[in-house]
């Protein structure tokens, strides 16, 4: 395969993974809201059982899990020859991440926390002090799905950054 077809193959793969992560995380996280908070008609913004704490916690955990899995799968696919290893100039924004997958996972978790904090700050500025169960399930589902879809290209490119001759099996 040449670099051009490798890039096209990677782009198709990223698109498929991002869409899959969006759908899975949207359905899963909206379902969790109904399962855990289903007896409540409204969910307050703040407090220990409010949606701010829930979304912040979810953002951190989701970011760490999705990025770690996608990076690991990228490495495995690179090692198995299913996806081409990426040169530094092909890394995009992933080039700025730490080389260590563990450190990169930590960066993704912090980024998730910051993205959730910004989103919650915007809701607070809009005067949202509570949401109905359905509204929060929709918000959390779409937010987590979109965030997971944004993580996929960065995490996958990070997983493919290690050239095969330097990869430790």
């Amino acid at each position: 395969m040449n670099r051009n077809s490798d890039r096209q193959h990677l782009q198709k793969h990223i698109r498929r993974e991002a869409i899959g992560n969006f759908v899975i995380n949207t359905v899963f996280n909206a379902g969790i809201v109904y399962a855990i908070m289903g007896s409540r008609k409204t969910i307050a913004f703040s407090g220990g059982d409010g949606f701010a704490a829930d979304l912040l916690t979810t953002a951190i955990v989701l970011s760490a899990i999705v990025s770690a899995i996608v990076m690991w799968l990228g490495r495995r696919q690179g090692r198995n020859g299913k996806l081409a290893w990426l040169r530094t100039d092909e890394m995009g924004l992933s080039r700025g991440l730490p080389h260590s997958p563990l450190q990169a996972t930590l960066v993704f978790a912090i980024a998730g926390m910051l993205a959730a904090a910004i989103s919650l700050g915007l809701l607070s500025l809009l005067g949202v002090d509570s949401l109905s169960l359905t509204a929060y399930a929709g918000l959390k589902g779409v937010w987590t799905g979109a965030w997971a879809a944004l993580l996929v290209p960065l995490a996958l490119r990070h997983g493919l950054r290690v050239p095969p001759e330097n990869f430790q099996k």
Side-chain angles (χ1 to χ4, degrees), residues 67-124:
S67 64
I69 290 171
V70 172
M71 283 187 288
W72 178 79
L73 289 172
R75 285 179 189 254
R76 192 176 82 180
Q77 290 166 327
R79 191 174 54 237
N80 294 337
K82 293 181 180 178
L83 292 173
W85 296 104
L86 297 176
R87 298 183 311 244
T88 303
D89 63 327
E90 298 172 312
M91 296 296 300
L93 293 174
S94 296
R95 180 179 22 223
L97 290 168
H99 285 275
S100 161
L102 184 59
Q103 290 174 349
T105 299
L106 181 60
V107 170
F108 282 119
I110 292 168
M113 179 186 66
L114 292 173
I118 290 167
S119 300
L120 291 165
L122 291 172
L123 287 173
S124 179

Side-chain angles (χ1 to χ4, degrees), residues 45 51 120 122-131:
F45 179 88
F51 69 81
L120 291 165
L122 291 172
L123 287 173
S124 179
L125 286 174
L126 292 171
V128 176
D129 59 356
S130 66
L131 290 171

